[in-house]
Amino acid sequence: MSVAACPECDAQVQIESNTRVNEIVECGDCRSELEVTSLAPATLSQAPEVEEDWGE
């Protein structure tokens, strides 16, 4: 398990050992959805908003 800082509130977010790059995790403090952008070192970024494709 590793730890990374939340880009929104700077809280420490635990990254499980079986987590993969591009996986979405949640900050326990501010509840932001975060995307794992790297595992070594563990880094997080704000997860992209899901956009409606309107059946396209």
Side-chain angles (χ1 to χ4, degrees), residues 2-56:
S2 59
V3 177
C6 173
E8 286 292 309
C9 70
D10 249 3
Q12 296 297 302
V13 179
Q14 293 188 358
I15 309 296
E16 300 291 329
S17 59
N18 62 346
T19 302
R20 297 176 185 215
V21 173
N22 297 328
E23 193 168 325
I24 303 298
V25 296
E26 185 178 276
C27 174
D29 285 6
C30 70
R31 300 288 188 219
S32 292
E33 288 189 339
L34 306 169
E35 182 177 5
V36 178
T37 54
S38 174
L39 294 173
T43 55
L44 301 169
S45 65
Q46 193 68 25
E49 292 291 323
V50 176
E51 296 181 15
E52 179 62 52
D53 65 3
W54 299 100
E56 295 176 3

